[in-house]
Amino acid sequence: MCRPFPSEHQEYVTDPRELGLLADCESCFGLCCVALPFAASADFAVDKAGGQPCHNLRDDFRCSIHARLRERGFPGCTVFDCFGAGQKVSQVTYEGRSWRAEPATARQMYAVFPVMRQLHELLWYLAEALTLEAARPVHEELRLALAETERLTGQSADVLEKLDVGAHRGAVNGLLLRASELARAGLQGKERRGADLIGARLKGAGLRGANLRGAYLIGADLRGADLRQADLIGADLRGADLAGADLTGCIFLTQAQVNAAKGDSATRLPGALARPAHWGEGGAGERVRAGGERRSGSGGRRVQNTGRRPRRR
């Protein structure tokens, strides 16, 4: 469970670990390997329907080809991040009762998982927004939104299955946008929200403080680009080349987005994010945490592939 949220006179809880927003696959029933569908493509070697266990899923809910996912044709699995929703549904919502041990729970569990993932993603963004000093004018509203979102994650499966998570996202997104605007004020960043920049030649581009919310940057050449303090919430970075790019201070960038891109040892990332192993030599694919513990940059799990473009922000 997450630590209780503090009163207005205490420090905000913003550490993803304390908020339970880092995937713990050992505590999950392989939900992303079962609940989500994917289609045969460059990301997945085969088709799989939602609710159907992946043929690589073992009886202990682990992936039998985890160390070889990319070479076996499943790079999409190395991109997905559940933001800790898998273990929350498995261990909190269903109190450790798996869909294998109790098949009657399966249908609803698969429906609840993507709802929980969206709520946990919002928690990630809200927690980050609370670390932005320039966004202090909206910190109280952000704190209340974070507390309400956390409250929703603790609801029963029946409530979560029927939750209008889209409406909640819409309400929270307005706050996140305001926090972003405050954080980027004075930087005169480019306005490219939702822009079609697929394959764009942006090598060395000055994009500091840019609004790239929901932008399509698939396959874009961003080598050496200055993306400091850019808002990248919902931006599609699949195959984007970030070699040598500076993303320090980026707003609302997630591990899944980084995992989907390409980079190298010279790519500069925000401290909370790991350098993916597939970025090659010099990346190591790990980040050192307090006490010398290392954590992989990917949970090696499944990602939903419906053939649709990502949700716009």
Side-chain angles (χ1 to χ4, degrees):
M1 291 290 288
C2 299
R3 199 176 86 185
F5 288 97
S7 72
E8 59 182 328
H9 302 297
Q10 295 175 290
E11 292 297 317
Y12 300 123
V13 179
T14 57
D15 189 318
R17 286 167 290 181
E18 292 188 60
L19 291 170
L21 304 181
L22 299 182
D24 177 8
C25 299
E26 296 300 319
S27 300
C28 178
F29 300 139
L31 292 180
C32 55
C33 305
V34 185
L36 305 180
F38 53 74
S41 62
D43 293 320
F44 301 100
V46 298
D47 291 320
K48 189 192 81 66
Q52 171 188 326
C54 174
H55 67 272
N56 294 315
L57 184 65
R58 302 188 319 209
D59 290 342
D60 63 356
F61 304 116
R62 303 278 68 81
C63 175
S64 63
I65 62 168
H66 176 69
R68 306 182 305 282
L69 282 165
R70 285 186 167 267
E71 63 187 74
R72 295 290 293 273
F74 291 87
C77 300
T78 67
V79 172
F80 184 72
D81 183 1
C82 76
F83 296 96
Q87 69 257 25
K88 185 70 169 283
V89 172
S90 299
Q91 303 302 328
V92 178
T93 311
Y94 283 90
E95 301 179 320
R97 296 174 290 123
S98 77
W99 51 269
R100 275 203 173 117
E102 298 186 25
T105 65
R107 183 206 63 77
Q108 187 179 59
M109 193 179 297
Y110 303 157
V112 166
F113 172 61
V115 173
M116 186 69 78
R117 184 188 179 278
Q118 290 191 62
L119 292 174
H120 272 223
E121 183 181 8
L122 288 177
L123 287 175
W124 179 281
Y125 295 141
L126 287 164
E128 180 180 341
L130 283 166
T131 68
L132 302 174
E133 181 61 29
R136 185 165 289 280
V138 293
H139 273 195
E140 179 59 17
E141 293 174 85
L142 288 166
R143 184 187 70 81
L144 293 173
L146 190 147
E148 172 60 14
T149 304
E150 171 63 10
R151 185 191 70 80
L152 291 173
T153 69
Q155 297 301 296
S156 69
D158 288 339
V159 172
L160 287 166
E161 184 181 17
K162 299 173 183 176
L163 179 67
D164 187 350
V165 70
H168 184 63
R169 287 190 77 104
V172 170
N173 191 54
L175 275 176
L176 296 176
L177 178 58
R178 179 59 179 148
S180 170
E181 291 171 341
L182 289 167
R184 293 181 295 109
L187 294 176
Q188 299 181 328
K190 294 180 172 61
E191 180 59 47
R192 305 309 300 270
R193 182 174 184 176
D196 185 346
L197 297 171
I198 297 174
R201 298 178 181 178
L202 297 168
K203 183 178 180 180
L207 296 169
R208 185 175 186 181
N211 182 1
L212 291 164
R213 295 168 67 92
Y216 298 102
L217 289 159
I218 303 168
D221 183 358
L222 288 161
R223 289 175 295 168
D226 183 357
L227 289 156
R228 290 174 295 167
Q229 287 86 47
D231 185 342
L232 287 166
I233 193 169
D236 194 335
L237 293 171
R238 286 178 292 171
D241 193 342
L242 298 173
D246 190 349
L247 292 91
T248 53
C250 270
I251 302 171
F252 306 136
L253 180 66
T254 68
Q255 189 66 56
Q257 289 170 295
V258 172
N259 291 346
K262 297 184 296 183
D264 63 9
S265 60
T267 305
R268 300 184 65 185
L269 295 172
L273 302 179
R275 193 177 305 277
H278 66 270
W279 279 14
E281 186 176 345
E286 297 177 326
R287 65 173 176 270
V288 179
R289 286 167 40 181
E293 180 185 0
R294 295 178 183 272
R295 182 178 181 86
S296 169
S298 168
R301 307 304 246 166
R302 301 299 187 267
V303 59
Q304 186 173 5
N305 184 347
T306 62
R308 297 190 298 269
R309 283 183 163 185
R311 183 187 304 108
R312 296 299 93 202
R313 307 287 177 174

